Amino acid sequence: MINARAEAFAPASMGNVGCGFDILGLAFEEPGDTVIVEPRDEPGVVIAAIEGDGGKLPRDPAKNSAAVAANSVLNLLGTPHGVSLTLHKNLPLASGLGSSAASAVAAAVAVDALFGMPLTLPQLLPACLDGEAAVSGYHPDNVGPSLLGGITLITGTNINEIRRLPVPDNLHCALVTPCIAVPTSEARAVLPEMVPLTRLVAQTGAVARLVDALYRGDLETVAAAMESDRIIEPARAHLMPLLAEMRAAAKRAGALALVISGAGPTLCAVCDSAPTAQRVAAAMGVLYDEAGIANVPRHTRVSTNGARVIAVT
Amino acid sequence: MINARAEAFAPASMGNVGCGFDILGLAFEEPGDTVIVEPRDEPGVVIAAIEGDGGKLPRDPAKNSAAVAANSVLNLLGTPHGVSLTLHKNLPLASGLGSSAASAVAAAVAVDALFGMPLTLPQLLPACLDGEAAVSGYHPDNVGPSLLGGITLITGTNINEIRRLPVPDNLHCALVTPCIAVPTSEARAVLPEMVPLTRLVAQTGAVARLVDALYRGDLETVAAAMESDRIIEPARAHLMPLLAEMRAAAKRAGALALVISGAGPTLCAVCDSAPTAQRVAAAMGVLYDEAGIANVPRHTRVSTNGARVIAVT
């Protein structure tokens, strides 16, 4: 069964979630990328259009995360058909919001839907990872939460090494994205190769406290644990404009904590209600405005279900 | 109110619990130390007797963990009276079973009971830490679980930084203590000062997986996560006789995992039933016997309630 057209959405996501470097991810309700696919008689993937990227994304299907993921799903399905793919980017690139992952996930889900949804979301993970690998690396930090939703614990690249953790009901997020690019490669290059054992103890303690607090629904401890990273943030702080000032401003506006989203520069403030998240996002935007830094403030929640099919015709 | 005599028990405990170096502790149902105290008109603590230590523990009250903890409780109570203290050691010294902590905790609980139990177990924590500090260091890795029971997450020395985690119903432990001493100071000296960042990621992932699995009651994952320490055990392995062979033997006998208890040399195998734990303990004992290493095998469970008053008269 081949449909005429399928459209899917995959949400933005935050790697690390503060103290959980390379092991935790969190999917946001919004923003997210949308992919529309239509069948072709010829095999493989052609990119019909990409909108919203300012022309920055590669149009070569072999180098575009959405096209690579779409092609992997075609291979999984073993179909002789191909697809024509249109990508609507709503995520800024290199902003710490899992842009390439959202495109890959949306494409994988859309192709699956086009062919009648023979695969489950977990079964699409390898294809999404292929897409992410084409531009960033074979890691599920963003692909995992964008595909599955929620807050995910990631200890490997197999689906059984990705676990969803409980999400406190009152967890709201205020995001602010300054309009500067921090390529993940640059954010990785500043990290220390070696870490003092005492810091390891503090970091494992923070992660354990975070998981425990998620299960207990204790948002204040969740926030404190997220923020208690003393390894990654100090190494990257200089790449994030006004980080200390932004944390102070967010907390004055009612936030419980502020962390770097993934490799940055997007910052995520943890809040306990929608009105607080709205107020905190506005306050963060104003601080960047006053410093002459163009920015996009947002407030959102944790995505419950991850990627989804929007329409099939 | 002052009673004539109070007797209290505090259980053995295991620091680290595998991957949770310096942040996790686990109390066993047995063995444990027993302390008996009687009131004196003079202030301070005198040691009436110590049994079961082979004469190795200091008789100077200022250097004995039980006496120091007892004295701290007297100070907390603000009483002009003192106590005479008898310590029955059932734990081997320097064996990785929290010997000094069990003595300190039993003494603190006994003194509190002698004076009518004005303090709660959590309120006794600082006194227990004082006792532990007299011989080992001001850290709650063993004092916390011995006092409170269960599996504890320890992220600081205040009582609100010690949290009990869920314990799977089917968690049983097989212990074997070879009759060699591994002083904690020596076991600490062999640890690396610096750790590769990649190892940090693996270790935080293991700890997060362990806490998640404890909440889900997933003993197999608990066991696998405990055992997936790639930092502390490799550095200490050479101090533990026949570690690799013991792990293999324990698993052949049905154990799910084997870890070093605290700084060793006691080894703890994770099992899913009492008969399996009994069989595994026996198998581990036989392996040491065949190598000519005197040893004490035991099988037990996780202590539910920690320290307890045995008798007050």
Side-chain angles (χ1 to χ4, degrees):
Chain A
M1 171 197 171
I2 307 180
N3 294 298
R5 180 182 180 279
E7 179 176 357
F9 170 89
S13 59
M14 163 165 73
N16 301 350
V17 194
C19 62
F21 176 66
D22 271 7
I23 64 160
L24 291 176
L26 181 155
F28 297 112
E29 274 189 353
E30 50 188 358
D33 285 352
T34 302
V35 166
I36 298 161
V37 287
E38 296 179 0
R40 299 178 75 237
D41 287 336
E42 301 74 28
V45 178
V46 295
I47 295 178
I50 301 178
E51 297 173 3
D53 72 327
K56 289 181 186 165
L57 285 179
R59 265 59 183 172
D60 177 353
K63 296 177 180 171
N64 180 289
S65 73
V68 171
N71 197 56
S72 284
V73 176
L74 292 175
N75 290 339
L76 279 174
L77 297 176
T79 175
H81 297 277
V83 298
S84 164
L85 183 154
T86 301
L87 169 61
H88 294 275
K89 286 296 303 175
N90 291 304
L91 294 189
L93 312 184
S95 67
L97 286 170
S99 175
S100 55
S103 297
V105 170
V109 173
V111 173
D112 183 48
L114 189 71
F115 289 88
M117 296 190 74
L119 301 174
T120 63
L121 288 186
Q123 288 175 321
L124 293 172
L125 178 69
C128 300
L129 285 168
D130 287 342
E132 181 76 317
V135 298
S136 174
Y138 197 84
H139 53 75
D141 311 30
N142 292 101
V143 156
S146 184
L147 182 66
L148 304 173
I151 300 176
T152 52
L153 168 61
I154 298 148
T155 53
T157 56
N158 293 316
I159 192 69
N160 62 3
E161 294 169 307
I162 301 180
R163 285 207 63 82
R164 283 187 54 162
L165 299 172
V167 180
D169 288 337
N170 57 338
L171 172 53
H172 295 256
C173 302
L175 304 171
V176 64
T177 305
C179 296
I180 61 163
V182 174
T184 301
S185 56
E186 186 178 339
R188 290 240 155 211
V190 299
L191 296 180
E193 283 181 32
M194 301 291 285
V195 173
L197 187 62
T198 50
R199 287 274 161 85
L200 169 94
V201 173
Q203 203 85 349
T204 51
V207 165
R209 208 154 64 105
L210 175 53
V211 176
D212 172 65
L214 286 172
Y215 269 98
R216 293 185 296 104
D218 174 355
L219 186 61
E220 284 198 23
T221 302
V222 165
M226 282 172 62
E227 204 176 47
S228 63
D229 157 37
R230 296 288 173 273
I231 297 174
I232 307 302
E233 184 184 303
R236 289 178 168 170
H238 65 285
L239 298 174
M240 316 296 151
L242 301 177
L243 176 58
E245 295 84 347
M246 197 60 75
R247 175 168 285 141
K251 290 189 175 178
R252 277 197 305 273
L256 298 170
L258 181 140
V259 297
I260 301 169
S261 180
T266 296
L267 303 178
C268 173
V270 179
C271 304
D272 63 3
S273 75
T276 301
Q278 188 168 8
R279 191 167 64 243
V280 169
M284 296 196 296
V286 166
L287 186 66
Y288 275 144
D289 288 345
E290 289 174 353
I293 300 171
N295 67 88
V296 181
R298 297 175 173 96
H299 61 98
T300 184
R301 302 195 63 175
V302 177
S303 164
T304 306
N305 297 319
R308 63 179 184 272
V309 178
I310 294 175
V312 181
T313 52
Chain B
M1 171 196 170
I2 309 181
N3 293 299
R5 180 181 179 282
E7 180 175 356
F9 169 89
S13 58
M14 163 165 72
N16 302 349
V17 194
C19 63
F21 176 65
D22 270 8
I23 64 160
L24 291 177
L26 181 155
F28 297 111
E29 275 189 352
E30 51 189 358
D33 285 352
T34 302
V35 166
I36 298 161
V37 289
E38 297 179 359
R40 299 178 75 239
D41 288 337
E42 300 74 28
V45 178
V46 296
I47 295 178
I50 301 178
E51 296 173 1
D53 71 328
K56 290 182 185 164
L57 285 179
R59 265 58 183 174
D60 176 354
K63 296 178 180 169
N64 179 289
S65 74
V68 171
N71 198 56
S72 284
V73 176
L74 293 174
N75 290 339
L76 279 174
L77 297 176
T79 175
H81 296 278
V83 298
S84 164
L85 182 154
T86 301
L87 168 61
H88 294 275
K89 286 297 303 176
N90 291 304
L91 294 189
L93 313 183
S95 67
L97 286 171
S99 175
S100 56
S103 298
V105 170
V109 172
V111 173
D112 184 47
L114 189 71
F115 289 88
M117 295 190 75
L119 301 174
T120 63
L121 288 186
Q123 287 175 321
L124 292 172
L125 177 69
C128 300
L129 285 167
D130 286 343
E132 181 77 316
V135 297
S136 174
Y138 198 85
H139 53 75
D141 310 30
N142 291 101
V143 157
S146 183
L147 182 66
L148 304 173
I151 300 175
T152 51
L153 168 61
I154 297 149
T155 53
T157 56
N158 294 315
I159 191 69
N160 61 4
E161 294 169 308
I162 302 180
R163 286 207 61 84
R164 283 187 53 161
L165 299 172
V167 179
D169 288 338
N170 57 338
L171 172 54
H172 294 256
C173 301
L175 303 171
V176 64
T177 305
C179 297
I180 60 162
V182 175
T184 301
S185 57
E186 186 177 338
R188 289 238 157 214
V190 298
L191 297 181
E193 284 181 31
M194 302 291 286
V195 173
L197 187 62
T198 50
R199 287 276 162 85
L200 170 96
V201 173
Q203 202 86 349
T204 51
V207 165
R209 207 154 65 105
L210 175 54
V211 176
D212 173 64
L214 286 172
Y215 268 98
R216 293 186 295 104
D218 174 355
L219 186 62
E220 284 198 23
T221 302
V222 165
M226 282 172 62
E227 205 176 45
S228 63
D229 157 36
R230 296 290 173 272
I231 297 173
I232 305 302
E233 185 184 302
R236 289 177 168 171
H238 66 284
L239 298 174
M240 314 297 151
L242 301 177
L243 177 59
E245 295 84 348
M246 198 59 76
R247 175 168 285 140
K251 291 188 176 178
R252 276 196 306 273
L256 299 171
L258 181 139
V259 298
I260 301 170
S261 180
T266 295
L267 303 178
C268 173
V270 179
C271 304
D272 64 3
S273 75
T276 301
Q278 187 168 8
R279 192 168 61 242
V280 169
M284 296 197 296
V286 166
L287 186 66
Y288 275 143
D289 288 344
E290 290 173 353
I293 300 172
N295 67 88
V296 181
R298 296 175 174 95
H299 62 98
T300 184
R301 303 194 63 173
V302 177
S303 163
T304 307
N305 296 317
R308 63 179 183 272
V309 178
I310 294 176
V312 181
T313 52

